[in-house]
Amino acid sequence: MPVVEKWGTMDLAFCGRSDGNPFMDYNIIGTFSGGNPKETKRAEGFYDGNGVYRIRFMPSSQGIYHYEIEGSFMSEKTDRNMLQGDFEVSSAGADNHGPVRVYEETHLLYEDGTPYYSMGTTCYAWTHQKMELQEQTLDTLEHSPFNKIRFCIFPKFYDYNRKEPLTYPFVRGNGEGQDPELIELEKQNLFLFPGQIAPEWDRDFDYTRPNTEHFQRLDLRIRQLRDLGIEADIILMHPYDRWGMNTIGKDAIDSYLRYCVARFSAYRNVWWSLANEYDLIKTRTVEDWDHYGELIQSTDPYDHLRSVHNCMPFYDYTKPWVTHCSMQRQDFYKTTEDTDLHMKTYCKPVVWDEIAYEGNIQLGWGNITAQELVRRFWEAFMRGGHAGHGETFLDPEEILWWSHGGPLKGESAPRIQFLLDILKDTPGKYVKKTGSMFDCVNCVPSYIEKEDIPFNIMSADYEIDYFGIMQPAFREIMLAEDKQFRVEIIDTWNMTIEDAGIHSGFTRISMPGNQYMALRIIRVNNSREVLS
Amino acid sequence: MPVVEKWGTMDLAFCGRSDGNPFMDYNIIGTFSGGNPKETKRAEGFYDGNGVYRIRFMPSSQGIYHYEIEGSFMSEKTDRNMLQGDFEVSSAGADNHGPVRVYEETHLLYEDGTPYYSMGTTCYAWTHQKMELQEQTLDTLEHSPFNKIRFCIFPKFYDYNRKEPLTYPFVRGNGEGQDPELIELEKQNLFLFPGQIAPEWDRDFDYTRPNTEHFQRLDLRIRQLRDLGIEADIILMHPYDRWGMNTIGKDAIDSYLRYCVARFSAYRNVWWSLANEYDLIKTRTVEDWDHYGELIQSTDPYDHLRSVHNCMPFYDYTKPWVTHCSMQRQDFYKTTEDTDLHMKTYCKPVVWDEIAYEGNIQLGWGNITAQELVRRFWEAFMRGGHAGHGETFLDPEEILWWSHGGPLKGESAPRIQFLLDILKDTPGKYVKKTGSMFDCVNCVPSYIEKEDIPFNIMSADYEIDYFGIMQPAFREIMLAEDKQFRVEIIDTWNMTIEDAGIHSGFTRISMPGNQYMALRIIRVNNSREVLS
């Protein structure tokens, strides 16, 4: 009997009809049932070219499962003996914590209960680069702190992105599936910079026929990310287009979305990002985005995280189909400092997917320092939110991590790893802001209730206080008189943790007078630790 | 005939009654008339102790003036021959530009038309320190960029300010003039820090009798500041009190304010700041502040600038008696970036009097870097506003510039001088934000109209673009095709200006990829300059 691990992917292939347009004309549906506790799921399959149909399933239980396949895809080539069968689901492997889920309304958690602090990064077009570069990107990711990556299914046309992609998402054709009414709108939306010449549009595709080579490579990359413990935040549409992707008509775009769901949803690390900068896509309306979101919500059997990412106005993240806020900063100066405000407003997890990138290119979204990017990360996580990295350093070959992947050149990644390590060291399921002092951000583990923190007493049983750009030479803290606390001085930039001793009551802590410092205050419960 | 310069101070002294309480019981009023164009002003005088009454006058014209003195102050010691007379007003000296006035609703300008960019600093209690330290402060100021200083008439009780002042503003007594109902309110308002012990209150003063030694020294300091070209932003009340200053009753406080107006208003460099952090003074209401402001407005013959400074909520600066916004940042992260927003809201000049200080003390308002303080200055001035400096470095003798004066230890002052020099080099009466690009702040001289600046063409005839924390390695700018512009790269931190050549049309400017850079773009009108 075939064996697949819990939250792994069962992948079944069947021969079937290849006449007509198999992407549109025929369907394949599977019913999967079993495990303990028992679950039953229906999942759509997809056409993978050359007469092959596939259907994939991600079990959430362990034990014996049974499947049954139906649909109009069948031909004389279909092996009817394979249309039903059994398989076994084993326990999850050591690094398999299941999909990331919303937890206690405003937080994220792996399905197995392991805390998830989303250290994102952004390589919008990495899967469209030549293969060696893609391999190098994976190697970089393996040695990085990042556990989520945002990337696009469609190729990207923008500054530093003027080359053709490795493959196109659709096969060549004559504009089948396109809505001619959208063409004029889209033409006004070409992202050129001063001094750049508009290229010819390329719309000779059949938008009703996915290019299976393109999607098979995406399969591979999503699986490789999964095996590295990295969430794949898949961007389904985006504004930076010269291949007609934003002129696809209603039926064909729905078909494309169903194809993505059928193809990718059985990978546990998938997140759905309907769009990057939805508001810059002039051919789609808010009604369209809601429709796309609801379509994915109703067809994805595993209820993966779903959101849509803004350029200027935030989306209305209160919409029921939206699972979390996927935000780009709106203010040029203040970004993740508003994390807790947005958590209150939307009552959903806040994931900052664009807060400007470490780099030195000409534009303000791509030329902040590593210090500032790391500070924005700390500000986000101290408030219970999540943040995303990107890197835009000028390069003689125009390989910028932000879009192409490759090597990292900046200084922020090791500091982001240091932050992740500190968060992982924190007990509880997540951290949350307490906010008892005006001039630093305080966070505590999930299990500490606000009522447990007396006003102006700076410590709960476990607390981190972050000072950002401030550079105090000392700090006075009020600790409970009847308890003992270990105080540590964390240098978030130099990545050091210094033991400042065990204290009670009113305490003055000498600090180095540098920026980007934090204090960690941990109650000492164990008398042996005090003596050691 | 005595001679005084235009906007100088005519100071007349008379002997008179010393029985009873001469501060409260008798008055002295002068009428001053003359000059070309002719002006006539009535001014109250004040009792200066030892039977001496003084009356002061600041002429705004030139030519022959006549004065006449009246009032109940006269006794047999009064020389009746001196009660009227003539004097001559000469032209203003080279560094005398008159008082600072509101200009075109939201800007400041010296009365003689010289631009005024308010480079403020803060030494709250400098006039209460020992004399050598006061002299050292003046010496520091002389070699500094600062052209405004904020300081308090009343002594200060706060962290780092626990010593007694050199003199008290009132003579010893038994609480005359105090409102007993305010005492309980005030007692709750003692500013102590963790670990500090509340001192005894000291309320043994006669709040109806100013201590003339205290006020004579203030006279001297205000004149010395005037001679250094520094505006004296006199703080009339503040919350950090242990001497009963905030328990003074209605009549005595009005009397104190009239005394200050009579005593100081004839100095051209005086600004009235009703309070530092008015909202922390629990014994005064908004109605009180409006009353104080209107009292000063109605008694100050010279209409000096008037405002009131917040801790948390901004005052309603739209009130008619308020001439300008005297602001403390409300947001912990974003300060002067909101300058133009507030100019729009209040339709008055915006003066940021507290935006956190360069230093390393324990509290967030007093431990930012010089880089950040200088950045906040640039953000304020690029938007047509003004900003104030302060310095709070730990000191073995607890001499912190912010309160005590002394030497400067930080790195911001030379950079503030550099900014001032650039502003003074800019043509026009002031600078204003244009705001044509999203990721830098652009300012232009006062005479350039918004309509003159085509969208997305980054240059007017004269423009400065400031990049703040961004670190672009190059910048693309669109200059008019049919004009020539000199482009300069300004490093606001290293204080260098590099000539990047003369350009037209689409231009790529190489930049060093550092923070705190600006571009200055100046249209070349003179063909000789192009050739040189």
Side-chain angles (χ1 to χ4, degrees):
Chain A
M1 201 184 304
V3 179
V4 62
E5 69 179 325
K6 185 178 174 182
W7 301 309
T9 303
M10 183 72 194
D11 190 320
L12 300 168
F14 303 90
C15 292
R17 299 180 65 164
S18 56
D19 57 309
N21 180 351
F23 295 102
M24 302 291 275
D25 298 345
Y26 315 115
N27 69 353
I28 174 168
I29 296 163
T31 305
F32 298 83
S33 188
N36 181 17
K38 189 179 175 188
E39 64 170 342
T40 299
K41 284 202 153 64
R42 271 171 76 82
E44 281 190 68
F46 60 95
Y47 185 63
D48 201 22
N50 297 322
V52 175
Y53 290 77
R54 287 186 184 277
I55 194 151
R56 291 173 178 165
F57 171 69
M58 180 186 81
S60 299
S61 265
Q62 280 176 246
I64 305 301
Y65 276 69
H66 178 73
Y67 70 84
E68 288 182 16
I69 306 300
E70 57 194 307
S72 59
F73 74 99
M74 287 178 244
S75 71
E76 72 287 353
K77 293 185 181 162
T78 310
D79 180 350
R80 313 264 156 172
N81 295 326
M82 291 291 293
L83 291 178
Q84 52 177 300
D86 295 324
F87 59 97
E88 186 186 339
V89 178
S90 66
S91 62
D95 296 327
N96 170 359
H97 303 293
V100 174
R101 302 295 188 191
V102 173
Y103 182 67
E104 291 187 356
E105 207 169 51
T106 49
H107 296 275
L108 297 173
L109 196 70
Y110 285 110
E111 191 166 316
D112 76 349
T114 303
Y116 175 68
Y117 298 102
S118 184
M119 302 289 165
T121 191
T122 306
C123 301
Y124 286 123
W126 78 282
T127 66
H128 309 314
Q129 309 305 312
K130 57 186 184 186
M131 293 299 268
E132 307 93 281
L133 185 53
Q134 294 186 40
E135 296 297 334
Q136 194 185 8
T137 304
L138 285 165
D139 186 61
T140 303
L141 286 169
E142 186 177 353
H143 302 97
S144 84
F146 305 118
N147 56 25
K148 177 169 88 76
I149 185 170
R150 281 174 70 73
F151 59 96
C152 303
I153 293 180
F154 293 159
K156 178 163 182 148
F157 180 73
Y158 190 77
D159 216 10
Y160 305 104
N161 290 268
R162 304 302 185 196
K163 294 180 195 146
E164 292 301 294
L166 195 60
T167 55
Y168 298 98
F170 298 97
V171 299
R172 286 290 170 186
N174 294 303
E176 292 88 347
Q178 201 173 39
D179 179 348
E181 289 188 15
L182 299 180
I183 294 175
E184 272 315 302
L185 262 178
E186 179 69 355
K187 272 193 180 168
Q188 300 158 20
N189 214 24
L190 197 60
F191 289 85
L192 291 173
F193 284 73
Q196 292 177 343
I197 293 155
E200 289 295 303
W201 282 95
D202 176 7
R203 285 207 192 74
D204 301 331
F205 295 101
D206 179 346
Y207 300 98
T208 67
R209 289 180 190 256
N211 176 359
T212 51
E213 185 191 349
H214 188 84
F215 281 84
Q216 282 160 6
R217 198 174 63 253
L218 286 167
D219 278 347
L220 171 69
R221 298 310 180 207
I222 294 168
R223 283 196 304 267
Q224 288 171 316
L225 292 171
R226 176 196 66 193
D227 295 342
L228 293 173
I230 299 172
E231 303 296 301
D233 197 1
I234 302 172
I235 299 169
L236 296 161
M237 295 178 229
H238 69 75
Y240 306 106
D241 176 38
R242 62 174 282 261
W243 302 277
M245 302 301 165
N246 291 326
T247 64
I248 304 176
K250 185 169 177 356
D251 289 348
I253 204 79
D254 282 6
S255 175
Y256 159 71
L257 293 172
R258 295 182 86 100
Y259 192 82
C260 290
V261 170
R263 180 137 209 151
F264 302 134
S265 66
Y267 297 128
R268 66 175 173 273
N269 59 324
V270 162
W271 298 25
W272 304 115
S273 182
L274 292 194
N276 202 40
E277 304 184 333
Y278 77 92
D279 47 313
L280 300 189
I281 305 178
K282 301 302 175 199
T283 56
R284 313 291 182 200
T285 65
V286 169
E287 290 69 35
D288 288 334
W289 297 116
D290 283 340
H291 165 70
Y292 305 148
E294 288 159 5
L295 178 68
I296 290 172
Q297 183 178 27
S298 65
T299 52
D300 172 3
Y302 314 105
D303 202 28
H304 287 290
L305 294 175
R306 291 174 302 271
S307 195
V308 60
H309 182 74
N310 64 298
C311 178
M312 303 298 287
F314 290 140
Y315 203 78
D316 177 0
Y317 303 112
T318 64
K319 298 258 172 88
W321 68 263
V322 178
T323 56
H324 65 286
C325 308
S326 167
M327 291 180 153
Q328 179 164 178
R329 53 91 188 256
Q330 286 189 314
D331 190 284
F332 194 60
Y333 303 93
K334 210 170 152 185
T335 58
T336 50
E337 299 85 355
D338 285 335
T339 300
D340 45 325
L341 181 80
H342 297 313
M343 285 165 72
K344 262 191 198 152
T345 303
Y346 296 108
C347 296
K348 291 187 181 172
V350 166
V351 181
W352 288 100
D353 282 317
E354 191 174 338
I355 50 176
Y357 306 129
E358 182 186 358
N360 65 359
I361 62 166
Q362 75 272 37
L363 297 161
W365 53 258
N367 59 26
I368 65 170
T369 61
Q371 285 87 343
E372 177 65 9
L373 183 61
V374 173
R375 187 191 70 78
R376 292 179 184 190
F377 264 71
W378 272 82
E379 294 284 351
F381 285 94
M382 290 293 295
R383 291 172 162 81
H386 307 265
H389 155 277
E391 204 188 83
T392 41
F393 283 103
L394 287 183
D395 182 84
E397 294 177 54
E398 297 217 335
I399 296 170
L400 283 70
W401 174 263
W402 139 80
S403 193
H404 316 100
L408 286 169
K409 298 170 186 164
E411 300 176 284
S412 60
R415 279 83 188 179
I416 292 169
Q417 181 69 56
F418 181 75
L419 167 59
L420 178 58
D421 293 343
I422 284 172
L423 291 167
K424 282 182 170 176
D425 276 351
T426 307
K429 296 294 189 194
Y430 54 83
V431 299
K432 59 186 177 186
K433 182 187 165 193
T434 56
S436 54
M437 297 293 286
F438 94 101
D439 61 351
C440 67
V441 201
N442 318 68
C443 81
V444 294
S446 55
Y447 56 81
I448 293 180
E449 296 301 325
K450 204 151 192 171
E451 304 83 70
D452 298 342
I453 306 164
F455 180 71
N456 259 351
I457 296 192
M458 209 175 163
S459 68
D461 280 7
Y462 195 111
E463 181 175 300
I464 302 173
D465 307 313
Y466 176 64
F467 297 94
I469 63 164
M470 306 293 122
Q471 47 175 8
F474 71 96
R475 191 76 182 176
E476 291 167 336
I477 53 178
M478 264 305 204
L479 303 167
E481 292 280 356
D482 57 347
K483 293 173 187 164
Q484 291 190 300
F485 299 86
R486 182 176 297 283
V487 178
E488 293 166 314
I489 300 170
I490 299 175
D491 184 329
T492 71
W493 180 252
N494 293 310
M495 299 180 282
T496 58
I497 301 177
E498 182 198 331
D499 188 344
I502 290 175
H503 304 273
S504 295
F506 171 71
T507 302
R508 180 183 160 123
I509 303 290
S510 282
M511 293 179 68
N514 295 334
Q515 294 185 310
Y516 314 123
M517 305 300 295
L519 292 181
R520 185 162 62 178
I521 303 166
I522 305 172
R523 184 172 164 199
V524 180
N525 294 306
N526 185 328
S527 59
R528 201 180 294 174
E529 194 190 335
V530 180
L531 297 171
S532 73
Chain B
M1 202 184 303
V3 178
V4 62
E5 69 179 324
K6 185 177 173 182
W7 300 309
T9 303
M10 184 70 194
D11 190 319
L12 300 167
F14 303 91
C15 292
R17 298 183 65 163
S18 57
D19 58 309
N21 181 351
F23 295 100
M24 302 290 277
D25 299 345
Y26 316 115
N27 69 354
I28 174 168
I29 297 163
T31 306
F32 298 82
S33 188
N36 181 16
K38 191 180 174 188
E39 63 169 343
T40 299
K41 283 203 152 64
R42 271 172 76 82
E44 280 190 69
F46 61 94
Y47 184 64
D48 200 21
N50 296 322
V52 175
Y53 290 77
R54 287 185 184 276
I55 194 151
R56 291 172 178 166
F57 171 68
M58 179 185 82
S60 298
S61 265
Q62 280 176 245
I64 304 301
Y65 277 68
H66 179 73
Y67 71 84
E68 288 182 18
I69 306 300
E70 56 194 307
S72 58
F73 73 100
M74 287 177 244
S75 72
E76 71 287 351
K77 292 184 181 163
T78 310
D79 181 349
R80 313 265 156 171
N81 295 324
M82 290 292 294
L83 291 178
Q84 53 176 300
D86 295 324
F87 58 97
E88 187 187 338
V89 178
S90 67
S91 62
D95 296 327
N96 170 358
H97 303 293
V100 174
R101 302 296 187 190
V102 174
Y103 181 68
E104 291 188 355
E105 207 169 51
T106 49
H107 296 274
L108 297 173
L109 195 70
Y110 285 111
E111 192 166 316
D112 76 349
T114 302
Y116 175 69
Y117 298 102
S118 185
M119 301 289 164
T121 191
T122 305
C123 301
Y124 286 123
W126 78 283
T127 67
H128 308 314
Q129 309 305 312
K130 57 185 183 186
M131 293 298 267
E132 307 93 282
L133 185 53
Q134 294 186 39
E135 297 296 334
Q136 194 184 11
T137 303
L138 285 165
D139 186 61
T140 304
L141 286 170
E142 186 177 352
H143 302 97
S144 84
F146 304 119
N147 56 25
K148 178 168 88 77
I149 185 170
R150 281 174 70 74
F151 59 97
C152 303
I153 292 179
F154 293 158
K156 178 164 182 148
F157 180 75
Y158 189 79
D159 216 10
Y160 305 106
N161 289 269
R162 305 299 186 197
K163 293 180 195 147
E164 292 302 294
L166 196 59
T167 55
Y168 299 98
F170 299 98
V171 298
R172 286 288 171 191
N174 293 304
E176 293 88 348
Q178 201 173 41
D179 179 348
E181 288 188 15
L182 300 179
I183 293 175
E184 273 314 303
L185 262 178
E186 179 69 356
K187 271 193 181 166
Q188 300 159 20
N189 214 24
L190 197 61
F191 289 85
L192 291 174
F193 285 73
Q196 292 177 344
I197 293 155
E200 289 295 302
W201 282 95
D202 176 5
R203 286 207 191 74
D204 302 331
F205 296 100
D206 179 347
Y207 300 98
T208 67
R209 290 181 191 255
N211 176 1
T212 52
E213 185 191 349
H214 189 85
F215 281 85
Q216 284 159 5
R217 197 172 63 253
L218 285 167
D219 278 346
L220 171 69
R221 297 311 181 207
I222 294 168
R223 283 196 303 268
Q224 289 171 314
L225 293 171
R226 176 195 65 192
D227 295 342
L228 293 172
I230 299 172
E231 304 295 302
D233 197 2
I234 302 173
I235 299 168
L236 295 161
M237 296 178 227
H238 68 76
Y240 306 106
D241 177 36
R242 63 173 282 261
W243 302 276
M245 301 303 165
N246 291 326
T247 63
I248 304 176
K250 183 168 177 359
D251 289 348
I253 203 79
D254 282 5
S255 176
Y256 159 70
L257 292 173
R258 295 181 85 102
Y259 191 82
C260 290
V261 169
R263 179 136 211 153
F264 301 136
S265 66
Y267 297 127
R268 65 175 173 273
N269 59 324
V270 162
W271 299 24
W272 304 115
S273 181
L274 291 195
N276 203 39
E277 303 184 332
Y278 78 92
D279 47 313
L280 299 188
I281 305 178
K282 300 302 176 201
T283 57
R284 314 291 181 199
T285 65
V286 169
E287 291 68 34
D288 289 334
W289 297 116
D290 283 340
H291 165 71
Y292 304 148
E294 288 159 6
L295 178 68
I296 290 173
Q297 183 177 29
S298 66
T299 52
D300 172 5
Y302 314 106
D303 202 29
H304 286 290
L305 294 174
R306 292 174 301 272
S307 195
V308 60
H309 182 74
N310 63 298
C311 177
M312 303 299 287
F314 290 140
Y315 204 78
D316 177 1
Y317 303 112
T318 64
K319 298 258 173 88
W321 69 263
V322 179
T323 56
H324 65 285
C325 308
S326 167
M327 292 180 152
Q328 178 164 178
R329 54 91 189 256
Q330 285 189 316
D331 190 285
F332 193 61
Y333 303 93
K334 210 170 152 186
T335 58
T336 52
E337 298 86 355
D338 284 334
T339 300
D340 45 324
L341 182 80
H342 298 313
M343 286 166 72
K344 262 192 198 152
T345 303
Y346 297 108
C347 296
K348 291 186 182 171
V350 166
V351 181
W352 288 100
D353 281 317
E354 191 174 338
I355 51 177
Y357 306 130
E358 182 185 359
N360 64 359
I361 62 166
Q362 75 273 37
L363 297 160
W365 53 258
N367 60 25
I368 65 170
T369 62
Q371 284 88 343
E372 177 65 8
L373 184 60
V374 173
R375 188 190 70 77
R376 291 178 185 190
F377 263 71
W378 272 83
E379 294 285 352
F381 285 94
M382 290 293 296
R383 291 171 163 81
H386 306 265
H389 155 276
E391 205 188 82
T392 41
F393 282 103
L394 288 183
D395 182 83
E397 293 177 55
E398 296 218 334
I399 296 171
L400 284 69
W401 174 263
W402 139 80
S403 194
H404 315 101
L408 285 169
K409 297 170 187 165
E411 299 176 285
S412 60
R415 279 81 188 180
I416 291 168
Q417 181 68 58
F418 181 74
L419 166 59
L420 179 57
D421 293 342
I422 285 171
L423 291 166
K424 283 183 169 175
D425 276 351
T426 307
K429 296 294 189 193
Y430 54 83
V431 298
K432 60 186 177 187
K433 181 186 166 194
T434 55
S436 54
M437 298 293 287
F438 93 100
D439 61 352
C440 68
V441 201
N442 317 70
C443 82
V444 295
S446 55
Y447 56 80
I448 292 179
E449 297 300 326
K450 205 152 192 171
E451 304 83 70
D452 299 341
I453 307 164
F455 179 72
N456 258 350
I457 295 191
M458 209 174 161
S459 69
D461 280 7
Y462 194 111
E463 181 174 299
I464 302 173
D465 306 314
Y466 176 64
F467 298 94
I469 63 164
M470 306 294 122
Q471 47 175 9
F474 71 95
R475 191 75 181 177
E476 292 167 335
I477 53 177
M478 264 304 203
L479 303 167
E481 292 279 358
D482 57 347
K483 293 173 188 164
Q484 291 190 301
F485 299 87
R486 181 176 297 283
V487 178
E488 293 166 313
I489 300 170
I490 299 175
D491 184 329
T492 72
W493 180 253
N494 293 308
M495 300 180 282
T496 58
I497 302 177
E498 181 199 331
D499 187 344
I502 290 174
H503 304 273
S504 296
F506 172 71
T507 302
R508 181 183 160 125
I509 303 289
S510 281
M511 293 179 67
N514 295 333
Q515 293 185 311
Y516 314 122
M517 305 301 295
L519 293 180
R520 184 162 62 178
I521 303 166
I522 305 172
R523 183 172 163 197
V524 180
N525 293 308
N526 184 328
S527 58
R528 201 180 293 173
E529 194 191 334
V530 179
L531 297 172
S532 73

